[in-house]
Amino acid sequence: MSLQADSPVHSSSSDDFAAYLDAELDSKSSESSPKSREEEVDEEEEEEEEEEEEKVAQVELCDLESKRIKRFKAEISENLEDPEGSTSHRALELNLEASSSKEACTHPGSFGDMCIVCGQRLNEESGVTFGYIHKGLRLGNDEIVRLRNTDMKNLLRHRKLYLVLDLDHTLLNSTLLIHITSEEEYLKSQTDSFEDVSKGSLFMLDSMPMMTKLRPFVRTFLKEASKMFEMYIYTMGDRPYALEMAKLLDPKKEYFSAKVISRDDGTQRHQKGLDVVLGQESAVLILDDTENAWTKHKDNLILMERYHFFGSSCRQFGFNCKSLSELKSDESDSDGALASVLKVLTRIHHMFFDELTTNLEARDVRQVLKTVRKDVLKGCKIVFSRVFPTQFQADNHYLWRMAENLGAICSKELDSSVTHVVSTDAGTEKSRWALKNEKFLVHPQWIEAANFLWEKQPEHKFSVNQTKKE
Amino acid sequence: MFFHIILERNMQLHPRYFGRNLRENLAAKLMKDVEGTCSGRHGFVVAITGIENIGKGLIRDGTGFVTFPVKYQCVVFRPFKGEILEAVVTMVNKMGFFAEAGPVQIFVSNHLIPDDMEFQSGDMPNYTTSDGSVKIQKDCEVRLKIIGTRVDATEIFCIGTIKDDFLGVINDPATV
Ligand SMILES: [Mg+2]
Ligand SMILES: [Zn+2]
């Protein structure tokens, strides 16, 4: 039936319903009903401005505290009274345009698709989106470079560097409520109130079905780090989650306001990049538990030991042991991962600003990071025994590289200068040599622990069990 | 700028609303549907101030819904290029600052902030003159000039400048 198809929402002006029906039924030719307002409204803005005055024929100017903008108002109201107002209004617009575009604008960025400098509508989408700062904001590459440069000077004057912080397993651990095990049920009665978020560490979120545990020491960490760094959050979680976590970590919005980057903001899938961070790479440090997320910025990265509080988190990473929550335990507050990394950050900051003698702007925090790292196992000479698969090229193995990055010398041959033999088996020839010659025999975890804790660990804590006789 | 104008809209109403309260029901639905929305032509509909005229309804086949053409008076707000506007600063950063005037989101880039104002980072980021006499930070009121507008279905974006005479901070709550 044509009546239905023609959707009388767009009412014809025929006033009599019967007549309307008749007309519709008689002539199947659907007369085009007058265009609805809704449709017209969406048309080009350029046209709108001209027509504005006619539509608004009986306009009253409400509430314009007039004195300030007298001239402008006068012109406009003149327009409104004048039936041919559109022309003079046009002229006004043109004048404004002319005055603001004396020199060609390079359109360094856009907000709501308009150039941030000349206000012109830009059709082409270029540059990088900075949705985490404000919806609708984009910046071109030149502008990003310019901002980084000016910001750098400002920051160095305040003796600060940039610090990019991951959320999950670095600053906190979250689990979906449905993944809470029976051994963790007790947590539900122990969650902290949202009344004073800054005092709590275990939260049941109301906006999403999740429970979040903040890593011990995190509040002190953020407070102290904020004195040395301008801090960003950068997570692979989505924006609502990231903002929710920022509220827990920073309830007073002292640290992360407009500096919460989520996967919705990244320019590459499954990768984190410093391109959306408005800081120069030579001044950025990153804390993250996932090395692979930062393939382009390994030199900026301080790898964190993963914080697994919840059982679901352990199992997600393939550990079958009991989680901290299931053991009703937690990481040490004063001696945990965040406390030790804070010491490292303090050290790097001190070196950068107080020990280096080069020109401040030429300094590179990545070099400082390398130097600090090289101190950890300085003076150790390591031989590996049965750690790498037989055909494996030893100096390509991550443990070998890690030990070298920590300042140790790695060797394939035993001699008297060797200080440590690293093995999982005390029965190997090299292991027995170590014991006989009073050298340290340690488990490979000794290196990893030193890497995470930025300190050489007591060897006796990493002794090797004799599993089988060779 | 605010305008008091007459607009028209075709309202569809379910038969359950018919009866002696038909007019009220139409008006209530109109407010719900229209207030707070934007259109490219008229800008943001602030409030409906009266119903001018309700035309005869048309019954839609099959559903029993009836469509009424309704003419109504309303106050709309729409920024124009060249207009001077007062707005509240919502965020300050190294790129410039964002401000709001009702539903309008305005960005003033640091290119369009006077050169003698410099960005200061910290927990309360701000732009300050070298003598410290003028400071733009969150929550203060600024007078700015619009140099570009874009009106969406739900939002109005503007580009603003304060690089001109008599523009800038008009009231800083921190100093009151
Ligand atoms: Mg992580
Ligand atoms: Zn431009």
Side-chain angles (χ1 to χ4, degrees):
Chain A
M1 257 176 90
S2 68
L3 193 65
Q4 184 182 16
D6 288 343
S7 147
V9 186
H10 307 155
S11 74
S12 76
S13 51
S14 71
D15 29 26
D16 188 39
F17 180 55
Y20 173 74
L21 264 184
D22 285 343
E24 281 295 323
L25 293 171
D26 283 351
S27 65
K28 290 237 158 141
S29 66
S30 54
E31 283 159 43
S32 62
S33 49
K35 228 198 236 170
S36 82
R37 276 211 107 97
E38 232 82 45
E39 277 172 39
E40 289 175 49
V41 151
D42 293 331
E43 277 162 26
E44 278 298 291
E45 239 196 313
E46 278 66 34
E47 291 169 34
E48 292 156 16
E49 318 231 321
E50 298 173 5
E51 285 171 40
E52 189 74 43
E53 282 69 35
E54 294 149 38
K55 292 278 160 178
V56 195
Q58 57 294 65
V59 165
E60 279 167 42
L61 282 174
C62 310
D63 180 41
L64 274 178
E65 291 137 82
S66 51
K67 277 156 258 164
R68 281 182 243 115
I69 36 174
K70 214 177 220 163
R71 189 175 59 94
F72 186 75
K73 182 181 161 185
E75 258 163 298
I76 289 289
S77 41
E78 221 175 75
N79 287 344
L80 297 175
E81 255 111 77
D82 177 3
E84 263 112 69
S86 47
T87 47
S88 60
H89 183 65
R90 252 287 150 106
L92 176 72
E93 293 256 4
L94 288 175
N95 273 341
L96 286 163
E97 222 151 337
S99 65
S100 61
S101 58
K102 265 173 235 148
E103 314 145 33
C105 176
T106 55
H107 308 321
S110 66
F111 174 60
D113 295 331
M114 294 172 291
C115 170
I116 58 171
V117 172
C118 67
Q120 196 181 309
R121 192 69 172 265
L122 307 176
N123 294 318
E124 207 178 301
E125 288 209 336
S126 60
V128 181
T129 309
F130 283 84
Y132 72 91
I133 295 175
H134 200 291
K135 195 182 167 197
L137 185 67
R138 296 179 77 89
L139 294 176
N141 291 329
D142 292 350
E143 181 71 354
I144 295 173
V145 169
R146 190 188 73 88
L147 284 168
R148 282 191 179 142
N149 286 338
T150 50
D151 197 51
M152 184 77 178
K153 287 184 196 121
N154 195 359
L155 206 67
L156 292 179
R157 214 183 311 136
H158 289 91
R159 290 175 55 89
K160 280 190 178 184
L161 296 165
Y162 302 95
L163 181 62
V164 176
L165 297 164
D166 173 52
L167 288 178
D168 293 309
H169 306 109
T170 296
L171 296 184
L172 49 82
N173 189 202
S174 292
T175 183
L176 286 170
L177 290 180
I178 50 163
H179 290 156
I180 286 194
T181 62
S182 55
E183 285 166 278
E184 292 172 324
E185 279 293 322
Y186 75 98
L187 292 172
K188 287 185 178 168
S189 61
Q190 291 187 1
T191 54
D192 292 303
S193 119
F194 281 87
E195 301 244 309
D196 189 356
V197 171
S198 62
K199 289 210 171 67
S201 74
L202 180 68
F203 297 97
M204 189 113 77
L205 306 179
D206 25 275
S207 58
M208 35 192 90
M210 295 185 106
M211 194 184 271
T212 295
K213 172 70 179 63
L214 304 185
R215 197 170 202 168
F217 198 72
V218 71
R219 300 217 184 269
T220 319
F221 173 84
L222 292 177
K223 185 162 171 255
E224 293 304 315
S226 72
K227 295 173 189 164
M228 303 180 281
F229 298 93
E230 182 176 303
M231 300 191 293
Y232 285 79
I233 284 175
Y234 198 148
T235 175
M236 281 298 190
D238 59 14
R239 188 174 296 153
Y241 174 73
L243 292 174
E244 207 58 44
M245 294 301 108
K247 270 193 236 161
L248 299 181
L249 292 167
D250 182 22
K252 291 182 194 141
K253 297 195 169 165
E254 297 163 279
Y255 314 130
F256 300 119
S257 143
K259 283 181 287 201
V260 181
I261 306 171
S262 62
R263 66 154 177 252
D264 304 348
D265 303 301
T267 50
Q268 256 187 302
R269 271 176 77 89
H270 308 304
Q271 275 294 305
K272 294 182 179 181
L274 292 178
D275 46 357
V276 291
V277 175
L278 286 174
Q280 253 167 31
E281 287 175 22
S282 61
V284 181
L285 288 175
I286 302 163
L287 293 194
D288 202 318
D289 63 287
T290 308
E291 195 173 8
N292 289 340
W294 292 101
T295 44
K296 280 183 288 178
H297 306 285
K298 284 208 160 79
D299 292 344
N300 303 77
L301 177 66
I302 296 178
L303 194 63
M304 295 293 291
E305 189 177 10
R306 288 209 165 95
Y307 178 52
H308 294 293
F309 181 74
F310 296 108
S312 66
S313 172
C314 288
R315 280 178 282 285
Q316 189 193 335
F317 284 83
F319 301 117
N320 274 321
C321 52
K322 293 244 183 254
S323 71
L324 291 168
S325 63
E326 287 160 342
L327 297 167
K328 303 201 177 183
S329 156
D330 206 345
E331 217 179 76
S332 157
D333 189 76
S334 57
D335 215 11
L338 286 174
S340 53
V341 84
L342 180 63
K343 282 184 214 144
V344 177
L345 292 175
T346 310
R347 172 113 190 271
I348 293 172
H349 183 270
H350 179 79
M351 256 180 129
F352 188 95
F353 286 102
D354 302 315
E355 287 178 22
L356 292 183
T357 49
T358 47
N359 172 23
L360 197 57
E361 281 170 43
R363 295 177 196 176
D364 190 330
V365 77
R366 292 170 290 198
Q367 285 305 320
V368 180
L369 180 60
K370 238 178 224 160
T371 313
V372 171
R373 192 177 267 139
K374 279 228 181 299
D375 267 358
V376 175
L377 292 184
K378 200 169 164 188
C380 298
K381 186 165 178 185
I382 295 174
V383 168
F384 291 93
S385 173
R386 202 164 294 174
V387 174
F388 316 132
T390 26
Q391 295 303 318
F392 203 88
Q393 203 189 331
D395 48 10
N396 247 339
H397 193 270
Y398 82 98
L399 276 174
W400 182 291
R401 291 225 209 119
M402 187 183 279
E404 281 190 336
N405 287 338
L406 292 169
I409 297 166
C410 296
S411 166
K412 288 175 189 165
E413 308 298 331
L414 290 172
D415 64 53
S416 60
S417 66
V418 168
T419 57
H420 293 73
V421 172
V422 175
S423 179
T424 50
D425 186 345
T428 71
E429 201 179 309
K430 284 170 182 164
S431 299
R432 278 182 280 148
W433 175 89
L435 294 174
K436 201 172 13 171
N437 292 281
E438 301 198 320
K439 308 289 186 185
F440 291 113
L441 173 62
V442 289
H443 193 273
Q445 281 170 356
W446 176 75
I447 298 174
E448 289 176 296
N451 188 50
F452 281 132
L453 298 169
W454 293 77
E455 223 167 355
K456 190 165 86 175
Q457 297 301 298
E459 284 81 358
H460 65 86
K461 286 193 187 166
F462 295 86
S463 59
V464 184
N465 298 324
Q466 189 147 357
T467 46
K468 54 182 175 198
K469 274 266 178 238
E470 287 281 344
Chain B
M1 194 168 306
F2 292 92
F3 299 96
H4 194 198
I5 57 173
I6 294 175
L7 293 178
E8 198 179 337
R9 183 183 178 84
N10 290 312
M11 306 270 309
Q12 265 203 71
L13 210 62
H14 190 274
R16 71 169 167 272
Y17 296 111
F18 298 170
R20 81 173 54 166
N21 291 331
L22 179 62
R23 257 190 102 82
E24 286 73 34
N25 286 334
L26 266 177
K29 184 168 161 42
L30 184 68
M31 283 186 187
K32 204 169 131 245
D33 289 358
V34 172
E35 284 182 357
T37 62
C38 285
S39 78
R41 182 194 303 275
H42 302 104
F44 182 83
V45 179
V46 180
I48 292 171
T49 54
I51 304 256
E52 187 91 343
N53 167 274
I54 299 177
K56 290 197 173 156
L58 288 178
I59 301 175
R60 292 198 67 182
D61 180 56
T63 63
F65 274 89
V66 170
T67 303
F68 294 94
V70 180
K71 274 189 178 166
Y72 58 96
Q73 302 151 353
C74 62
V75 175
V76 292
F77 177 75
R78 190 199 194 287
F80 290 93
K81 211 192 252 187
E83 184 177 349
I84 309 288
L85 209 63
E86 282 167 19
V88 179
V89 175
T90 54
M91 186 200 297
V92 178
N93 58 37
K94 46 195 135 182
M95 272 158 267
F97 66 85
F98 293 89
E100 262 174 27
V104 183
Q105 306 274 329
I106 305 150
F107 178 57
V108 178
S109 114
N110 61 12
H111 296 272
L112 301 177
I113 294 172
D115 296 330
D116 67 332
M117 297 194 85
E118 214 177 316
F119 178 68
Q120 315 285 331
S121 54
D123 349 325
M124 200 58 162
N126 61 77
Y127 283 87
T128 311
T129 51
S130 48
D131 62 357
S133 62
V134 183
K135 187 185 268 190
I136 296 175
Q137 60 185 26
K138 190 175 185 294
D139 294 330
C140 70
E141 285 172 34
V142 290
R143 181 177 302 136
L144 44 84
K145 187 165 90 182
I146 303 295
I147 61 164
T149 68
R150 203 194 87 190
V151 185
D152 272 357
T154 52
E155 288 163 311
I156 306 180
F157 293 105
C158 286
I159 302 293
T161 176
I162 57 165
K163 217 174 186 173
D164 215 335
D165 293 343
F166 308 112
L167 300 178
V169 178
I170 47 179
N171 157 35
D172 179 1
T175 61
V176 174

